Amino acid sequence: MDIAISAIDARRLVSTLLNSPIAPGRYSHFINVGTEHIIDALDQNYFRGELADGIGCFKYLEGDYGSGKTQFINSLAQRASEQDVVTALVTVGAECPFNSPAAIFRAIMESFQPPADAEGADRKGIEVLIDSWISTRIRQLGAEPGEDVPDLVQRQIEEQLGGLWKGAPDTQMAGALTALSKRLLKINCGAKESVADSELIAWIRGDNLRSTTLKSLGLFEPVRDDNAFRRLKTVVAFLRTRMAYRGFLIAFDEGTRTSSFRRGSAKQKQAIENLLTMINQNAEGEFGGVMFVYAATPDFRSEVISTYRALQDRIGTVAFSRGSPLVPLINIEEANSEEVIFRIGERLLDVFSKAYSIDWQMALQKTNMKALVEAQKDRLFETPKPRFFVYQYCRFLSSQRDAQRAISSEQASDFVNDNEPPLEGENE
């Protein structure tokens, strides 16, 4: 299969995979195999449908270490981005402990990313999202950002941004977003950035900041646990109503953090309460057009969720299938098989071919791939997880670049034993 990746992106992807055994970020979709039917269903039902109508949803993604949860989330985010859905991918851990709504808010604000074709799509942050919309809007109105933007264009955009927002979930955040939008419009029209702009951005992102400039804008209260979700709702509503962003994918990837909090501890209970708040209020339409995804390992459901009836009821026990595409539970383990491993291998052969203009001897390399997978199965006593296979197979293909040669089962076994992946990291 020929995948649509450029030579330079293929080399970047190979470099990422050789340097670290984790999902390769925005390149993940190029080697994503086995979950296309799930992503297609989520795309059709939500990214092309309900999110644009302001209807939100929650998905619980389950899979063991190395099974491809982070890979799935990145691939889902790519599809969302192609449909003009804003994404925010957050790793739950030391930087974002899930027991703190304020920490969750800050992590989302710094992770917001514009859709694929938008200005600044490679950068992240709430200010990037707003600035991207403004520069795109200027171009849509027939001008170019800079000192020569006509006054009429500026006035049209100012009118769309609107003025005072009465009835916002959080009045201070509504005022801050309006002020920042108007400042970024001025900057796109030739004004110079100032320290006050940086303070405003930091306050909106959730930094614990106070200043006379912020006070003059009516911003005297930094984000706290008791106002964080109101502020998140305000941000989402502002982006939807004033900038017409059609939907949001906000994903939390727990990685190896399932034992972050002692079972039954106050912190664990608060983390579960936070998750329930997002699920319940999103179901009631309070966020509007948000798909929340929470990814964790099976022990989180068996050891933690099972003790919280309300959360267990909302996730359910029926996993995604072609007959039940809208249920909250997605079990990624069910998408993994030996056939999927071989298909991933074929994708990697294609990526290496594009990266280095290699003309693979396909019959030889497929025989080699089978030998490696058999050696991995002997080593692991099971079909290898995608992470384990990808880590070793990329190293094997790198060794075959200059001289392609067949390997025996003994050589395959030696290679597998000599190329043990590093210990589990925080992400898949």
Side-chain angles (χ1 to χ4, degrees):
M1 176 187 173
D2 186 41
I3 57 174
I5 187 171
S6 66
I8 184 68
D9 280 344
R11 285 195 291 276
R12 286 173 179 152
L13 173 51
V14 168
S15 174
T16 301
L17 292 171
L18 288 172
N19 284 321
S20 182
I22 60 174
R26 65 192 181 97
Y27 299 109
S28 294
H29 63 288
F30 288 117
I31 58 168
N32 190 61
V33 170
T35 58
E36 301 100 318
H37 64 295
I38 303 175
I39 292 174
D40 286 345
L42 297 177
D43 181 5
Q44 197 63 43
N45 287 291
Y46 299 107
F47 302 151
R48 298 171 193 249
E50 293 190 349
L51 298 190
D53 296 328
I55 301 169
C57 67
F58 169 75
K59 302 296 173 185
Y60 179 78
L61 179 66
E62 182 172 283
D64 216 335
Y65 299 122
S67 61
K69 295 189 299 298
T70 305
Q71 170 82 7
F72 176 87
I73 287 172
N74 282 317
S75 300
L76 184 64
Q78 175 64 28
R79 187 71 68 87
S81 192
E82 289 169 3
Q83 296 302 325
D84 290 329
V85 170
V86 171
T87 60
L89 310 187
V90 174
T91 300
V92 176
E95 296 295 315
C96 177
F98 212 75
N99 68 307
S100 167
I104 293 169
F105 174 85
R106 282 191 289 268
I108 295 171
M109 290 302 103
E110 69 182 30
S111 301
F112 270 136
Q113 195 161 9
D117 295 329
E119 186 93 5
D122 289 338
R123 297 181 296 132
K124 296 180 182 180
I126 179 63
E127 75 282 6
V128 173
L129 205 52
I130 295 172
D131 186 63
S132 170
W133 179 84
I134 289 169
S135 58
T136 299
R137 195 77 189 97
I138 289 172
R139 291 190 172 95
Q140 287 172 344
L141 293 170
E144 280 295 318
E147 294 179 359
D148 298 327
V149 177
D151 289 344
L152 178 60
V153 169
Q154 293 187 49
R155 283 200 301 275
Q156 281 183 269
I157 296 174
E158 280 181 351
E159 285 174 11
Q160 192 168 349
L161 290 172
L164 184 65
W165 178 7
K166 293 180 179 176
D170 187 276
T171 306
Q172 288 185 57
M173 180 56 74
L177 291 169
T178 303
L180 177 61
S181 300
K182 291 185 174 177
R183 272 302 299 160
L184 289 175
L185 174 59
K186 294 292 184 190
I187 291 166
N188 269 277
C189 296
K192 301 295 183 190
E193 295 182 48
S194 68
V195 173
D197 298 328
S198 300
E199 289 182 352
L200 180 55
I201 290 168
W203 188 93
I204 289 172
R205 274 183 169 234
D207 288 1
N208 190 358
L209 188 66
R210 299 174 192 271
S211 73
T212 52
T213 304
L214 293 172
K215 272 189 179 178
S216 70
L217 292 170
L219 311 178
F220 49 85
E221 190 176 62
V223 70
R224 301 189 311 266
D225 282 345
D226 63 357
N227 65 24
F229 286 140
R230 289 201 311 275
R231 292 200 170 169
L232 180 57
K233 291 175 200 173
T234 305
V235 171
V236 168
F238 184 90
L239 295 170
R240 275 184 60 82
T241 58
R242 303 208 176 184
M243 298 186 171
Y245 280 117
R246 57 183 283 122
F248 304 84
L249 167 64
I250 300 177
F252 302 97
D253 190 359
E254 195 170 81
T256 59
R257 294 286 176 176
T258 53
S259 358
S260 299
F261 306 128
R262 186 171 52 79
R263 184 175 177 179
S265 66
K267 286 184 176 180
Q268 188 189 80
K269 288 177 182 174
Q270 185 57 56
I272 297 297
E273 282 301 317
N274 293 339
L275 191 53
L276 276 170
T277 297
M278 281 190 281
I279 295 170
N280 294 338
Q281 294 183 0
N282 199 30
E284 292 161 6
E286 291 190 38
F287 284 98
V290 177
M291 175 189 285
F292 284 118
V293 176
Y294 195 93
T297 50
D299 55 324
F300 184 70
R301 189 157 62 106
S302 61
E303 295 177 11
V304 180
I305 293 175
S306 62
T307 64
Y308 293 89
R309 179 63 185 274
L311 185 55
Q312 192 175 13
D313 288 347
R314 282 154 184 79
I315 291 172
T317 55
V318 176
F320 175 98
S321 68
R322 294 182 194 278
S324 303
L326 302 183
V327 296
L329 176 60
I330 299 172
N331 186 345
I332 208 166
E333 294 287 348
E334 295 176 359
N336 286 324
S337 65
E338 193 167 320
E339 179 197 353
V340 164
I341 293 297
F342 285 125
R343 286 174 58 201
I344 294 172
E346 289 169 3
R347 291 278 181 100
L348 291 171
L349 281 165
D350 204 4
V351 169
F352 270 79
S353 177
K354 285 281 185 73
Y356 305 111
S357 301
I358 303 170
D359 186 14
W360 292 116
Q361 299 172 40
M362 293 305 293
L364 179 148
Q365 292 302 341
K366 287 189 177 181
T367 302
N368 284 346
M369 193 197 307
K370 287 178 183 176
L372 280 172
V373 172
E374 286 303 317
Q376 290 177 332
K377 286 163 67 178
D378 289 343
R379 171 87 168 76
L380 301 168
F381 304 106
E382 65 177 358
T383 300
K385 301 284 190 218
R387 177 199 267 177
F388 189 91
F389 169 75
V390 169
Y391 181 83
Q392 293 193 334
Y393 193 53
C394 284
R395 275 153 184 74
F396 177 77
L397 291 183
S398 187
S399 74
Q400 292 272 311
R401 274 177 56 192
D402 297 327
Q404 297 185 54
R405 57 200 177 278
I407 58 168
S408 65
S409 56
E410 290 78 16
Q411 288 170 320
S413 182
D414 289 343
F415 186 89
V416 166
N417 289 324
D418 291 343
N419 286 274
E420 183 74 15
L423 293 174
E424 304 291 352
E426 287 187 8
N427 292 326
E428 281 1 273

